[in-house]
């Protein structure tokens, strides 16, 4: 790096001293913490984004959000040139950068890294970063910090794209790097047009307009509801009622949102008895997750139609379209093309969903929690569908299958003469149904976000498939029955609280979550030694018992997940394993207050 560049970094970073006693980690989905701690981190991620742009010679994204976390938190993450999460190989550098104690050590780190990665500052390519933020009040000033970080790399340019959903920013970055249209208007246009194409291809027998069959959506008091209102206008006739937008009185993610609905299994605020039986959905704070639900007549309980069920609906639809095209290929004497369809889940997927998908004959694989792992795995297939139970997921199409579909589209169009003969009910003719299957798959590839899970595009695809299949949310929910499950979280101490506790003269043993190390897609604990055996002994006592623990990547907690034949058994298994966590990790509840999260208040 030139001297001028070094001086600039030294000078500007001195305005952003890191908070004392806090160790930050890039985690499952970027850096997250109380917003008051993040000025320096976001500034440094600005530098990171500019270096990433220099290295990849592409446009990079920087999103300021803490998703479903409380409104006083915030976070920051980077979108790579393909719109996906930042390459994991850069995460250790991100961690080091965020935690460098002073400007000179920060500079030394950057110097080393730039040399190691052979990053050139020769100005041959534009260095551009697209910035987005959710509706959190802290977003504006953090965005300014990001801009300062970016401008401390000579020649780097920040484009403020305003308030966006996380998937919108990822979509824009991908589109920009593909040389495609990439504005927010283009996003809405592409989604709405492909949604309409899918609806136009609905088999005629199902083209019944159901009056009052509206979808009611909880926008988590965040950005997702606001953007859905715009999308609804683009879709022209989409019957969606949006509640809990950011313009109402409610607080972001408080008693609302996909994470709340999925974990607590209750209706969000603003939904009640008048919604019983309706098709409802909930977005999370930055709209990269969606779950559906049906309000039950008893109190505010719901039937949850979660990410696993969305995945199952998508898998059925894609499989149906591929089946239409299968016999065509099987008849070929040379080079028949058999697209590989794969499904990716995490250990949080309900066991009943995995059994259902395997029964369909699908290949199901597991990865660790976090979109970056699922997404990467899904790219190994021609069509890879991935979903977390909490509602984050998408369908990825390989370049290979897209070219095959385009070729097939041409081939079928040249052989199909039905229209000329005056036949319009294509579904009566095998050739035309193939053609429709191709068009449907192509429309899905344009509708569903190819960069990252996207609640808005997911919502449109669910709605289109429900119309296509003539099915209701009730029928969809009956695809299989979830095994009862329970999630608990045990608070651990972040670095700052640990210092306070120990420094305060207390001799209690406290742990941090990194003491728990897992393997096999987080289903087995390898550290501390012996804990897995104890969990196994406990799990074996329960019918259809399954249980695992893992350190959260976004909160200072250890998560416990249990599944069993009845709700009582799932609760009991989760509680017993929580006690095992206490024993092995030397956790002492009274030092940090509440032992269990608010979830336990809902246990019955
Ligand atoms: C059990 C659970 O829902 N975990 C979530 C949560 O991660 P944790 O590492 O469990 O805190 O936030 C991630 C980012 O949104 C999401 O990818 C993940 O699925
Ligand atoms: Mg989110």
């Amino acid at each position: 790096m030139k001297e001028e560049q070094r001086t600039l970094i030294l000078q500007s970073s001195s305005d952003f001293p890191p908070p004392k006693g806090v160790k930050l980690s890039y985690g499952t989905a970027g850096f997250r913490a109380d917003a008051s701690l993040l000025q320096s981190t976001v500034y440094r991620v600005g530098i990171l984004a500019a270096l990433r742009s220099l290295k990849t010679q592409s446009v990079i994204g920087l999103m300021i959000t803490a998703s479903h976390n409380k409104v006083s938190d915030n976070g920051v993450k980077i979108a790579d040139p393909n719109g996906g999460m930042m390459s994991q190989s850069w995460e250790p550098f991100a961690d080091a950068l965020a935690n460098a104690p002073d400007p000179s050590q920060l500079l030394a780190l950057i110097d080393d890294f730039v040399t190691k990665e052979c990053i050139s500052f020769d100005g041959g390519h534009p260095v551009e970063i697209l910035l987005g933020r959710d509706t959190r009040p802290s977003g504006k000033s953090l965005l300014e910090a990001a801009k300062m970080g970016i401008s401390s790399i000579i020649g780097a340019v920040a484009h403020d794209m305003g308030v966006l959903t996380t998937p919108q920013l990822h979509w824009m970055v991908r589109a920009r790097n593909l040389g495609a249209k990439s504005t927010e208007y283009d996003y809405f246009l592409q989604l709405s047009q492909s949604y309409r194409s899918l609806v136009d291809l609905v088999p005629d027998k199902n083209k019944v307009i159901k009056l009052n069959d509206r979808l009611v959506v909880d926008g988590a008091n965040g950005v997702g509801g606001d953007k859905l209102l715009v999308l609804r206008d683009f879709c022209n006739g989409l019957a969606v009622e949006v509640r809990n937008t950011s313009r109402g009185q409610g607080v972001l993610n408080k008693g609302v949102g996909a994470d709340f609905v999925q974990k607590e299994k209750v209706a969000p605020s603003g939904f009640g008895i008048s919604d019983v039986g309706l098709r409802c959905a909930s977005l999370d704070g930055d709209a990269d997750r969606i779950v559906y639900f049906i309000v039950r007549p008893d109190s505010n309980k719901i039937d949850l139609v979660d990410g696993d069920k969305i995945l199952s609906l998508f898998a059925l639809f894609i499989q149906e379209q591929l089946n239409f095209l299968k016999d065509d290929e099987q008849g070929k004497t040379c080079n028949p093309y058999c697209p590989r369809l794969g499904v990716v889940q995490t250990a949080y997927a309900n066991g009943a969903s995995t059994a259902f998908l395997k029964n369909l004959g699908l290949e199901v694989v597991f990865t660790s929690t976090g979109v970056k792992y699922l997404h990467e795995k899904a790219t190994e297939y021609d069509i890879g569908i991935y979903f977390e139970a909490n509602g984050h997921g998408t369908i990825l199409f390989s370049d290979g299958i897209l070219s095959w579909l385009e070729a097939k589209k041409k081939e079928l169009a040249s052989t199909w003469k039905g229209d000329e003969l005056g036949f319009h009910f294509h579904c009566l003719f095998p050739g035309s149904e193939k053609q429709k299957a191709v068009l449907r798959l192509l429309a899905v590839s344009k509708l569903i976000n190819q960069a990252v899970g996207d609640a808005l595009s997911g919502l449109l695809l669910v709605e289109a498939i429900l119309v296509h299949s003539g099915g209701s949310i009730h029928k969809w929910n009956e695809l299989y029955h979830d095994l009862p499950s329970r999630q608990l979280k045990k608070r651990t101490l972040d670095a700052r609280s640990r210092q306070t506790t120990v420094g305060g003269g207390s001799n209690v043993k406290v742990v941090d979550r990194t003491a728990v190390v897992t393997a096999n897609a987080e289903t087995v604990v390898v550290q501390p030694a012996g804990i897995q055996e104890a969990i196994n002994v406990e799990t074996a006592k329960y019918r259809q018992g399954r249980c695992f623990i893992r350190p959260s990547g976004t909160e200072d907690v250890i998560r416990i997940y249990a599944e069993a034949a009845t709700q009582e058994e799932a609760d009991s298994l989760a509680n017993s394993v929580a006690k095992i966590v206490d024993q092995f990790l030397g956790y002492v509840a009274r030092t940090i207050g509440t032992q269990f999260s608010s979830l336990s208040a809902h246990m019955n």
Side-chain angles (χ1 to χ4, degrees), residues 264 486-492 549 555-561 570-583 587-590 592-603:
E264 310 272 335
R486 176 63 61 204
Q487 268 197 61
L488 296 177
K489 49 185 178 181
K490 299 214 66 155
R491 302 213 173 279
T492 55
I549 67 167
E555 292 175 67
D556 265 308
V557 298
I558 290 169
R559 295 196 196 279
I560 299 156
Y561 177 90
D571 292 347
S572 162
L573 175 55
N575 277 315
S576 308
V577 170
K579 289 195 188 109
I580 294 175
V581 172
D582 281 348
Q583 287 158 15
Y587 169 88
V588 181
R590 72 191 144 77
I592 50 171
T594 332
Q595 183 169 3
F596 292 100
S597 74
S598 62
L599 277 179
S600 59
H602 295 275
M603 286 180 22

Side-chain angles (χ1 to χ4, degrees), residues 159 228 252 359 427 524:
H159 300 288
L228 181 56
L252 179 70
N359 253 334
C427 50
V524 178

Side-chain angles (χ1 to χ4, degrees), residues 27-30 32 66-69 77 85 259 262-263 284 286 288-289 346 348 368-372 374 388-392 487 513 522 548 550-557 559 561:
T28 321
R32 283 195 200 170
S67 179
H68 57 282
N69 295 142
K77 59 182 163 190
M85 300 295 182
D259 194 65
Q262 188 242 348
K263 299 238 166 54
D284 77 334
D286 62 340
D288 63 354
R289 293 193 201 171
T346 73
Y348 289 103
S368 296
T369 304
V371 186
K372 55 192 177 192
L374 289 120
E388 295 190 303
N390 60 32
H392 187 119
Q487 268 197 61
R513 59 191 155 141
E522 301 176 320
F548 66 92
R550 57 175 280 277
S552 159
T554 60
E555 292 175 67
D556 265 308
V557 298
R559 295 196 196 279
Y561 177 90

Side-chain angles (χ1 to χ4, degrees), residues 377-393:
K377 195 74 200 166
T379 58
E380 292 175 13
Y381 296 90
D382 293 307
I383 301 182
I385 315 178
Y386 71 85
F387 258 89
E388 295 190 303
N390 60 32
H392 187 119

Side-chain angles (χ1 to χ4, degrees), residues 410-459:
K410 280 198 194 115
E411 177 193 319
L412 290 169
S414 64
T415 52
W416 170 246
K417 299 278 184 263
D419 283 334
E420 289 164 28
L421 299 172
F423 297 131
H424 297 297
F425 298 102
H426 289 192
C427 50
L428 298 176
F429 300 89
S432 67
E433 202 47 50
K434 284 195 177 99
Q435 208 170 3
K436 284 186 172 184
V438 168
L439 295 177
R440 284 187 194 116
L441 289 171
L442 284 170
V444 172
S445 75
K446 294 199 178 73
L447 169 56
I448 200 86
N449 198 320
Q450 294 299 289
V452 76
D454 181 341
L456 299 186
S457 68
L459 179 151

Side-chain angles (χ1 to χ4, degrees), residues 6 41 52 134 148 181 187 219 267 269 301 330 401 441 470 472 516 552 567 572:
R6 279 170 213 276
T41 311
R52 190 84 192 129
D134 68 18
M148 293 301 288
K181 291 181 174 174
Y187 169 87
S269 169
K301 295 254 170 61
Q330 278 168 354
I401 193 151
L441 289 171
S472 64
V516 176
S552 159
Q567 190 61 56
S572 162

Side-chain angles (χ1 to χ4, degrees), residues 20-22 493-505 510:
K20 296 251 174 321
V22 179
L493 294 183
D494 61 25
R496 180 185 271 196
S497 334
R498 248 192 328 277
Q499 284 194 352
T500 317
T501 311
V502 176
V510 289

